[in-house]
Amino acid sequence: MNEAILQKMKQMKLHGMASAFKTSLEDGGKVHLTTDEMISFLIESEWDDRNNRRIERRIRTARFRYKANIEQIDFKIDRNLDKNLMNRFAECSYIHRNENILITGSTGIGKSYIASALGNQACMLGYKVLYASTSKLFASLKMARADGSYIKETARIEKMDLLILDDFGMQPLDSHNRSTLIEIIEDRHGKRSTIITAQLPVGQWHDVIGEKTIADAVLDRIVHNAHRIEMIGESLRKRQQLLN
């Protein structure tokens, strides 16, 4: 009878419950649970399993550059990185308030890792996240304009609770990419949060965007409610190579 119940649980896709029930059969101690305790045990197991699966799906969908989390960030190296600030960001209240985070610093300093860690934390807390290399995203959306899927793709980006644009400003934007950037920022302004990483300081983004009117509009929407992390120091990758 127990095997039949297990099969029915699996057919009903109650995988967490099935695993917990199987464990209870194998663990003699669980037979002493009261009926209420057993029901609670099975339901909690199913809830945990489904929640973990949701988190895994969000992380896969986000496509982070690094498998990173807040706990693994190295605060011992002087990079002008405030541990208290990062812990506050880990609560994701900035997403609830539709605020942005701008992370700047030299190549190899750890900007993408920090952004990935913040994105991973957001996934853990139930937010929808998309991570993208800025240049690759623009190239993808340029192709989407050609094949007619542009509106669908930008609508998907707009729905993300947190968008991470990595390596912004690696090269000046052309007219197509300026148009794409202002559309993305306009769609998200006041409704969603965005994290942007860049080697150039924020003061030089105006030149990268080009076309004064669009640059003013983009920066006005990005910067006015943004938290800034201005990282300093040598490349961690270069440091690691020297140690090796």
Side-chain angles (χ1 to χ4, degrees):
M1 185 178 70
N2 288 333
E3 184 60 32
I5 291 174
L6 274 173
Q7 291 304 316
K8 288 179 179 179
M9 286 180 176
K10 292 176 181 177
Q11 290 174 13
M12 296 170 66
K13 297 184 179 180
L14 299 173
H15 302 295
M17 193 174 289
S19 177
F21 186 60
K22 183 179 180 181
T23 299
S24 72
L25 296 176
E26 295 171 350
D27 184 356
K30 288 290 188 296
V31 299
H32 301 300
L33 292 177
T34 66
T35 302
D36 290 347
E37 288 172 338
M38 175 58 77
I39 292 173
S40 177
F41 170 63
L42 294 176
I43 291 175
E44 288 290 338
S45 298
E46 181 63 27
W47 191 94
D48 289 341
D49 182 73
R50 293 191 181 196
N51 187 55
N52 290 336
R53 288 172 186 267
R54 282 193 294 268
I55 291 172
E56 290 172 2
R57 283 196 299 271
R58 292 188 202 105
I59 292 174
R60 283 198 305 270
T61 300
R63 298 181 179 180
F64 296 117
R65 183 173 180 179
Y66 296 106
K67 292 183 178 179
N69 58 63
I70 300 293
E71 291 75 17
Q72 292 176 332
I73 295 174
D74 189 349
F75 293 99
K76 296 177 182 177
I77 301 173
D78 184 13
R79 294 183 287 174
N80 194 35
L81 199 58
D82 189 323
K83 186 174 183 180
N84 289 328
L85 180 62
M86 292 303 298
N87 287 335
R88 288 199 294 273
F89 285 156
E91 298 172 359
C92 291
S93 57
Y94 71 95
I95 298 178
H96 181 70
R97 295 191 297 267
N98 307 316
E99 296 171 346
N100 304 320
I101 298 177
L102 312 180
I103 307 174
T104 57
S106 60
T107 182
I109 197 66
K111 303 182 299 296
S112 299
Y113 189 93
I114 298 299
S116 295
L118 292 173
N120 183 78
Q121 180 68 13
C123 286
M124 297 287 288
L125 294 185
Y127 294 101
K128 293 179 293 185
V129 182
L130 176 64
Y131 168 96
S133 162
T134 304
S135 60
K136 290 182 179 179
L137 179 63
F138 285 166
S140 174
L141 290 175
K142 187 173 291 186
M143 293 177 62
R145 285 183 186 273
D147 65 22
S149 61
Y150 181 79
I151 293 177
K152 178 181 177 182
E153 286 302 307
T154 53
R156 181 175 70 91
I157 293 171
E158 181 182 359
K159 292 177 182 177
M160 294 294 158
D161 299 307
L162 175 62
L163 171 65
I164 300 174
L165 294 177
D166 198 13
D167 288 332
F168 175 76
M170 296 296 287
Q171 56 188 16
L173 303 186
D174 60 22
S175 59
H176 287 290
N177 291 342
R178 272 197 298 273
S179 175
T180 297
L181 178 63
I182 187 62
E183 285 187 40
I184 290 173
I185 298 304
E186 180 65 33
D187 286 343
R188 302 182 61 77
H189 178 57
K191 297 183 291 185
R192 300 285 190 272
S193 292
T194 304
I195 293 177
I196 301 177
T197 78
Q199 291 185 32
L200 295 174
V202 175
Q204 296 182 31
W205 289 10
H206 199 284
D207 294 334
V208 170
I209 297 170
E211 213 289 298
K212 185 178 185 303
T213 302
I214 293 180
D216 286 344
V218 169
L219 293 177
D220 178 65
R221 288 159 176 75
I222 290 176
V223 175
H224 86 279
N225 69 338
H227 303 273
R228 297 198 195 185
I229 301 176
E230 298 175 350
M231 301 178 70
I232 60 174
E234 298 179 350
S235 166
L236 297 187
R237 286 193 290 268
K238 187 182 294 185
R239 182 193 294 250
Q240 190 61 42
Q241 289 173 358
L242 293 174
L243 291 176
N244 293 336

